[in-house]
Amino acid sequence: MIRKTIKECPECASKNIYRDVEKGETVCRDCGLVIEDRMVDFSQEWRDFDEDGGGASKRRTGAPSSETSFDRGLGTEVGTAADVYKLSSNKDRDRFNRLRKWNIRISTAIERNLKVALAELKRVSSFLKLPKSVEEEAARIYRLAVQKGLVRGRSMESVVAGALYAACRRHEVPRTLDEMGEASGIEKKEIGRTYRFVTRELEISIKPSNPADYIPRFASALKLTPESQSKAVEILEMARDIELTSGRGPTGIAAAALYVASLIHGEKRTQREVADVAGVTEVTIRNRYKELIKRLKLSKIVEKSKKK
DNA sequence: AAGACGAAAGTGGTTGA
DNA sequence: TCAACAACTTTCGTCTT
């Protein structure tokens, strides 16, 4: 059964909203937004325990909906105002209206939450100077997360940070977890956790990040010339071809490539300097550096450049 | 004295039984 | 659910410039 609802689409403000009762979905026919993806099954709420009750003594079972259904009913609309007249008894009508009222209250709470969350998202995003497209992607992800009730048990801020991190990765403008942590004030452990959780639950697939994506930002932070920068990218490509990059942290490899490039071009940076901007330790750079030199046979070139 | 190097032990996350 | 495991970090001592 498909029915028109009296709802207004939060996305495009159209009133062309229809609900598919079987699938438990409410969809905007103008912009395609799925307004809800879960529906509370009210048929379980009242059960007749009396053998001869004839429906007169229906009781509720289980905990009240205010405790159990608060998040599960997220974004659910309980029928329409017109539905109330289909119910026979006054008692049922009262209950119906109560539930409906409850639901409206919850919906506005969600919208309030979304507003606050989007403000936070905007703040963090501008702090990191992220492009608009990433910000919008993150907002989309967050909205989906709320609709699926994934924010439960997590702080709103951490989900925002996780959504932003995911959006960055998708748009191939990765930020490190450290940077995200600094911008949002959330521990990077926590961000990583929610990031993994949200992407898994929403089935968002993300390619493993490419170390080369980090190069431009790190290079400019180190004030390296464009020549060194492209040299670093070149090194990365060679490293990738012999599968030196897989399995390792992308930032460590990017940092090592930059370090080598800086040596070759005679504008040396210390391991510590490179380590700081890349957010890894010197040790990691050393390990990657050793591998690069060995496997790519760069030792001669580096030696030569050192003497000059 | 500062930077580079390497060894050893510790941490947090993934994987496979 | 737990143990093995790989990547990375922390810490610290030694060598090089």
Side-chain angles (χ1 to χ4, degrees):
Chain A
M1 187 170 81
I2 295 179
R3 246 201 333 254
K4 195 171 192 331
T5 74
I6 55 167
K7 252 193 161 172
E8 204 174 82
C9 177
E11 196 69 25
C12 65
S14 133
K15 293 206 171 153
N16 217 2
I17 312 293
Y18 288 83
R19 134 175 283 194
D20 183 326
V21 177
E22 281 76 31
K23 282 158 76 182
E25 270 179 3
T26 301
V27 182
C28 171
R29 289 209 172 157
D30 282 341
C31 66
L33 179 79
V34 177
I35 294 168
E36 67 198 53
D37 58 11
R38 273 193 208 198
M39 192 162 68
V40 177
D41 185 0
F42 287 101
S43 63
Q44 296 292 322
E45 285 277 70
W46 291 276
R47 276 198 269 159
D48 192 351
F49 288 101
D50 283 350
E51 311 241 314
D52 60 345
S57 59
K58 288 178 178 174
R59 289 180 227 129
R60 292 198 54 187
T61 59
S65 68
S66 59
E67 280 170 33
T68 60
S69 302
F70 190 83
D71 65 324
R72 313 210 83 221
L74 257 193
T76 301
E77 187 195 339
V78 182
T80 65
D83 284 341
V84 76
Y85 301 109
K86 293 178 193 157
L87 296 171
S88 46
S89 76
N90 283 332
K91 220 194 250 172
D92 282 350
R93 217 171 282 174
D94 283 351
R95 287 203 165 118
F96 186 91
N97 280 328
R98 258 209 333 271
L99 283 165
R100 221 171 156 270
K101 214 181 268 175
W102 239 112
N103 202 268
I104 289 166
R105 230 176 287 161
I106 294 168
S107 307
T108 60
I110 290 169
E111 270 153 43
R112 245 201 316 275
N113 172 297
L114 213 60
K115 229 175 222 175
V116 178
L118 291 180
E120 167 72 5
L121 195 151
K122 235 176 167 147
R123 189 188 68 75
V124 178
S125 152
S126 78
F127 185 92
L128 290 170
K129 301 196 172 54
L130 294 172
K132 191 85 183 150
S133 59
V134 171
E135 190 180 313
E136 273 162 23
E137 174 85 2
R140 220 195 84 234
I141 294 171
Y142 185 85
R143 195 186 291 272
L144 286 171
V146 171
Q147 281 170 3
K148 267 212 161 188
L150 303 181
V151 189
R152 263 277 130 135
R154 262 160 266 277
S155 75
M156 190 201 77
E157 288 88 348
S158 73
V159 180
V160 166
L164 260 173
Y165 183 70
C168 285
R169 295 279 298 266
R170 290 202 105 186
H171 287 246
E172 290 170 15
V173 283
R175 300 294 118 135
T176 62
L177 281 174
D178 279 316
E179 293 169 300
M180 197 58 79
E182 199 203 333
S184 65
I186 307 288
E187 278 218 46
K188 67 171 190 176
K189 271 194 290 183
E190 183 64 23
I191 299 175
R193 240 204 307 275
T194 51
Y195 159 73
R196 274 191 300 278
F197 179 71
V198 167
T199 49
R200 181 156 33 86
E201 291 297 314
L202 296 179
E203 286 165 16
I204 297 172
S205 65
I206 291 176
K207 315 178 228 169
S209 68
N210 179 358
D213 294 335
Y214 292 97
I215 293 291
R217 237 159 18 87
F218 292 168
S220 83
L222 288 167
K223 300 197 179 68
L224 286 170
T225 59
E227 291 76 49
S228 299
Q229 185 173 322
S230 53
K231 186 74 196 171
V233 174
E234 202 180 302
I235 293 169
L236 281 179
E237 276 165 8
M238 294 192 293
R240 196 191 44 212
D241 288 343
I242 54 171
E243 255 132 32
L244 242 168
T245 55
S246 68
R248 280 96 211 282
T251 49
I253 298 173
L258 270 172
Y259 177 66
V260 175
S262 80
L263 287 179
I264 291 175
H265 281 262
E267 42 181 4
K268 183 172 180 201
R269 299 292 180 273
T270 66
Q271 293 180 352
R272 169 126 302 283
E273 287 172 308
V274 183
D276 279 345
V277 303
V280 295
T281 60
E282 299 160 83
V283 182
T284 303
I285 293 191
R286 276 203 290 278
N287 292 334
R288 294 296 92 80
Y289 166 70
K290 259 193 305 183
E291 291 166 359
L292 287 176
I293 297 283
K294 203 170 170 189
R295 301 287 303 278
L296 296 176
K297 303 184 174 65
L298 288 169
S299 51
K300 286 169 223 156
I301 310 173
V302 174
E303 290 300 322
K304 226 186 286 171
S305 308
K306 266 185 190 168
K307 283 175 185 165
K308 286 177 192 172

